């Protein structure tokens, strides 16, 4: 695996601390391993979200009413979020008791199997009601996988981080959602253009799902080369690390989710609220607007894909610098700035859709997704730092995944319902702005965590 181009950003200058950080080559492998899985997971989700906007409604939920078909497709999209809490419970237990690496390998394999399975499904025309039933089943499995992926990826990076670089390392997998979307667009657009709209609707939509098998194979290979988290082994005494099966230490609760709900309910709820607004902006911009713009406002599909892609690329470009800034001045100041910006910009961002102008929409989306990065990048360090090491996988995963479920997973469904009653895109701005205001209030209620003892 080639070294990351930003490898030098992770090199440690000066004397080594008592607990030696990873050497630069190891740091690069950790960075790749934490990023590749999240990218693949969100590639799979983005492919499904885009396919929902383009073809899955008629293929699996035929109806004479286009809105009903879209609602059914987005409801299936939301179904994966309903199963995410199960993934938190399952992979949180594995990650906190048996190791971060074990949980990550299993979650990635599960996502790959489910995504390739979608690409092999018969449609409603061929299999009748069995087709949507199988689709929902595979979506639920995708959701279980996603429930375990994010927490493990950010912990793999953060718990290997050198001193003073935790937010930078943790921000690496935060580029995965936007990279996954860009990768899905890079596959879907050429497939759509080469096959044509009719062939894409008929059979070529399967290609992006089937290509996931190649990505998963690469991801599994990369993750098999990294070591277990040193913080996990220190906190639990699991000296076996990633080699072979290890008996969970008695100090780790048998059911980490139960212990989390008993011991840290307040921090969990505030953590969920802190991440909720950003989740809504991401999914409404990357998923919902790709359907809403062309179908309801008559905006060309390529205009919406271009605006979302350029905005996503801008978000990726600032993700690591924002993480480094959060290491220098703290997590809360950066996230609070992003939250205020998103509250203010939410209405203008979605109001830009009324212009039908590619430059106006792209500019508005770019500003919005850069502001989102101010919230999204530091949260990868902020949420894990709210919880002790023995409950960290479960705590960080539960906070982020539940925020994604409530704020993001149901956002396209809620937006579809809102726009069936109020036809102006301004309603999207008021909806997301309200959720970002909630995130702002939750952030104000939480402490700064930059100097938190991450080993205990």
């Amino acid at each position: 695996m080639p070294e990351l181009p930003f490898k030098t950003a992770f090199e440690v200058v000066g004397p080594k601390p008592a607990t030696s950080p990873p050497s630069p080559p190891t740091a690069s492998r950790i960075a790749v391993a934490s990023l590749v899985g999240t990218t693949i997971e969100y590639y799979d989700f983005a492919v499904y979200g885009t396919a929902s906007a383009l073809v899955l409604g008629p293929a699996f939920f035929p109806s004479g009413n286009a809105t009903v078909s879209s609602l059914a497709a987005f409801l299936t999209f939301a179904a994966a979020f309903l199963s995410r809490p199960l993934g938190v419970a399952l992979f949180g237990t594995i990650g906190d008791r048996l190791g971060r690496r074990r949980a990550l390998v299993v979650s990635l394999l599960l996502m790959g199997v489910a995504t390739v399975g979608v690409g092999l499904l018969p449609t409603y025309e061929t299999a009748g009601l069995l087709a949507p039933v199988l689709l929902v089943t595979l979506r639920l499995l995708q959701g279980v996988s996603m429930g375990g992926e994010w927490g493990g990826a950010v912990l793999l990076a953060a718990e290997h981080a050198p001193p003073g670089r935790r937010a930078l390392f943790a921000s690496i997998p935060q580029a995965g959602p936007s990279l996954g979307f860009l990768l899905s667009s890079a596959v879907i657009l050429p497939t759509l253009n080469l096959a044509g709209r009719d062939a894409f609707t008929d059979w070529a939509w399967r290609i992006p799902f089937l290509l996931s098998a190649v990505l998963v194979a690469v991801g599994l290979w990369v993750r098999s080369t990294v070591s277990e988290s040193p913080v996990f082994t220190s906190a639990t005494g699991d000296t076996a690390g990633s080699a072979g099966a290890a008996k969970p230490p008695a100090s780790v609760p048998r059911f980490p989710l139960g212990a989390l709900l008993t011991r840290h309910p307040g921090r969990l709820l505030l953590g969920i609220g802190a991440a909720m607004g950003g989740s809504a902006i991401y999914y409404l911009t990357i998923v919902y607007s790709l359907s809403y713009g062309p179908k309801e406002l008559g905006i060309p599909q390529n205009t919406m894909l271009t605006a979302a892609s350029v905005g996503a690329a801008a978000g990726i470009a600032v993700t690591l610098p924002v993480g480094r800034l959060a290491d220098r001045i703290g997590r809360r100041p950066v996230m609070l700035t992003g939250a205020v910006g998103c509250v203010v910009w939410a209405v203008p961002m979605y109001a830009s859709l009324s212009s039908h102008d590619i430059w106006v929409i792209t500019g508005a989306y770019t500003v919005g997704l850069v502001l989102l990065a101010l919230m999204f990048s530091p949260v990868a360090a902020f949420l894990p730092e709210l919880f002790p090491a023995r409950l960290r996988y479960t705590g960080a995963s539960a906070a982020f995944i539940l925020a994604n479920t409530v704020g993001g997973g149901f956002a396209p469904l809620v937006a579809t319902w809102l726009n069936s009653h109020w036809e102006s895109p301004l309603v999207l701005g008021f909806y997301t702005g309200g959720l970002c205001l909630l995130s702002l209030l939750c952030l104000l209620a939480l402490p700064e965590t930059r100097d938190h003892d991450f080993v205990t």
Side-chain angles (χ1 to χ4, degrees), residues 104-429:
L104 280 172
V105 169
V106 176
S107 70
L108 184 59
L109 183 61
L110 179 60
M111 174 61 85
V113 169
T115 303
V116 172
V118 172
L120 297 173
L121 283 180
T123 62
Y124 185 91
E125 183 180 2
T126 302
L129 288 175
L130 180 62
V133 169
L134 291 174
L135 179 63
V136 171
T137 301
L138 291 174
R139 286 294 295 163
L140 292 173
L141 291 178
Q142 283 186 321
V144 171
S145 170
M146 284 293 290
E149 169 62 31
W150 184 86
V154 298
L155 290 187
L156 186 70
E159 293 184 342
H160 278 91
R165 302 284 182 93
R166 193 185 304 144
L168 174 62
F169 265 62
S171 70
I172 295 170
Q174 292 298 79
S178 293
L179 279 174
F181 168 73
L182 291 177
L183 186 58
S184 73
S185 297
V187 173
I188 288 175
L189 284 177
T191 303
L192 181 60
N193 291 332
L194 290 173
R197 185 58 185 256
D198 291 340
F200 188 85
T201 302
D202 186 34
W203 60 270
W205 62 267
R206 301 176 183 275
I207 294 174
F209 290 95
L210 297 177
L211 285 178
S212 178
V214 178
L215 299 175
V216 170
V218 172
L220 290 173
W221 175 74
V222 170
R223 284 188 171 173
S224 69
T225 66
V226 301
S227 60
E228 182 55 86
S229 156
V231 174
F232 171 79
T233 57
S234 174
T236 63
D238 176 16
T239 55
S242 60
K247 182 180 179 181
S251 60
V252 179
R254 293 184 61 85
F255 184 47
L257 182 59
L260 175 71
L261 294 174
T262 301
R263 302 175 191 175
H264 306 283
R267 286 205 167 187
L268 175 60
L269 288 174
L270 289 173
I272 293 169
M276 192 178 295
S279 296
I281 288 181
Y282 177 83
Y283 283 102
L284 285 181
T285 303
I286 299 300
V287 175
Y288 177 74
S289 66
L290 299 184
S291 172
Y292 172 71
K295 291 183 179 179
E296 302 298 330
L297 302 177
I299 302 172
Q301 190 76 58
N302 285 343
T303 295
M304 296 308 305
L305 284 170
T306 299
S309 297
V310 172
I316 293 170
V318 301
T319 293
L320 295 183
V322 168
R324 191 70 186 106
L325 180 64
D327 278 325
R328 291 175 176 170
I329 68 173
R331 290 45 163 146
R332 287 177 78 250
V334 179
M335 294 177 70
L336 286 169
T337 301
V340 171
C342 287
V343 170
V344 173
W345 190 248
V347 171
M349 179 168 66
Y350 293 111
S352 70
L353 297 175
S354 297
S355 72
H356 290 66
D357 185 284
I358 187 172
W359 299 106
V360 173
I361 299 172
T362 300
Y365 272 31
T366 299
V367 172
L369 291 176
V370 167
L371 290 171
L372 171 62
L374 296 178
M375 298 174 64
F376 198 63
S377 177
V379 80
F382 185 67
L383 293 181
E385 289 166 348
L386 292 175
F387 305 101
R390 292 173 178 84
L391 298 174
R392 185 169 293 142
Y393 199 122
T394 302
S397 295
F400 187 80
I401 294 305
L402 290 175
N404 253 230
T405 299
V406 178
F410 287 98
L413 191 63
V414 172
T416 301
W417 180 85
L418 288 173
N419 280 297
S420 69
H421 291 76
W422 297 277
E423 296 182 358
S424 171
L426 290 176
V427 70
L428 301 179

Side-chain angles (χ1 to χ4, degrees), residues 423-449:
E423 296 182 358
S424 171
L426 290 176
V427 70
L428 301 179
F430 290 120
Y431 172 56
T432 53
L435 289 179
C436 290
L437 179 60
L438 174 63
S439 291
L440 174 62
L441 296 176
C442 289
L443 285 169
L444 289 172
L446 285 166
E448 175 58 59
T449 60

Side-chain angles (χ1 to χ4, degrees), residues 8 10-22 24 162-163 165:
T8 55
F10 302 137
E11 294 179 351
V12 182
V13 181
K16 292 186 177 181
T19 302
S20 179
R165 302 284 182 93

